[in-house]
Amino acid sequence: MSDSTERFLNHNGLGLRCAAPKTLRASRMKQAFWCMSVTFCLAGCASQGWKAYQGKPFQDSAYKGGPQTIPGRVQCAYYDLGGEGVAYHDTDAVNHGSGGLNPANGEYLNEFRMHEGVDTSYTKFKGQIDNSPYNLVTPPANQLYVGWTKPGEWFNLTVNVERAGRYAVDLLYTSNRGGTISLAHNGKPLAPPISIISTKNDQDPLAWRQWHHWNVLDAAAEVDLPKGISILTVNILTQGNMNLAFFEFRYK
């Protein structure tokens, strides 16, 4: 099997690991045919695959809440435990925020999930980094977020929906170039792709702060959710370079 075929199968955006049958030969035609079959299966049989999902709700010494609750705020940095290819896919194995930009000095926020591939950081008010006058909204201080995003990356969030029905979804984020993301529910599309409005502001004299202009995308999506435990997948579709803090699910 070619490297590109294997990458597709192992990082299919659904958090599922796939393996080719042992009888598969190396011919490109057979690889393409089997890859196509897997694509159709993932599109039509996702709910069956999710029964074997190996990810687990995030918890650590500070957060012990288990599945995040809907209605309410779903924190992106509390993506599931399970590692690369199961709970998330990232383009490299390095956390460029925790332990990188934020030095590993024993502090909880600086070292938050620093040995995982998803890039995480938090809002800082010292020196007007995340509380500058160029914000459209002021984020909470020490707000964790997923950053350094790139197209093709994704992460899973285990949630507990307490009330079935339709929800409006708001997003706290930054984006210096716009882009699109999508949400999936148990491996199936939950809503059309979400267009992220750029927060770039040419009046800001500090170029690096273009990644720190915070905004809330009100009613970014409207979704129908069943009651109970579900897996939400956040997919980065285009552009990237977004900081995603949390989704607010409001019952309609």
Side-chain angles (χ1 to χ4, degrees), residues 176-196:
N176 76 336
R177 63 184 65 173
T180 54
I181 65 173
S182 69
L183 297 175
H185 172 265
N186 291 349
K188 295 182 178 180
L190 186 58
I194 299 169
S195 295
I196 302 299

Side-chain angles (χ1 to χ4, degrees), residues 206-228:
L206 301 178
W208 58 263
R209 203 161 52 194
Q210 295 295 344
W211 281 266
H212 297 268
H213 297 162
W214 289 92
N215 189 26
V216 170
L217 190 59
D218 290 315
E222 287 193 4
V223 300
D224 294 306
L225 293 172
K227 184 177 180 179

Side-chain angles (χ1 to χ4, degrees), residues 148-164:
W148 290 266
T149 54
K150 294 182 180 180
E153 296 181 339
W154 52 265
F155 54 90
N156 291 332
L157 300 155
T158 298
V159 297
N160 181 23
V161 181
E162 294 186 337
R163 184 180 181 185

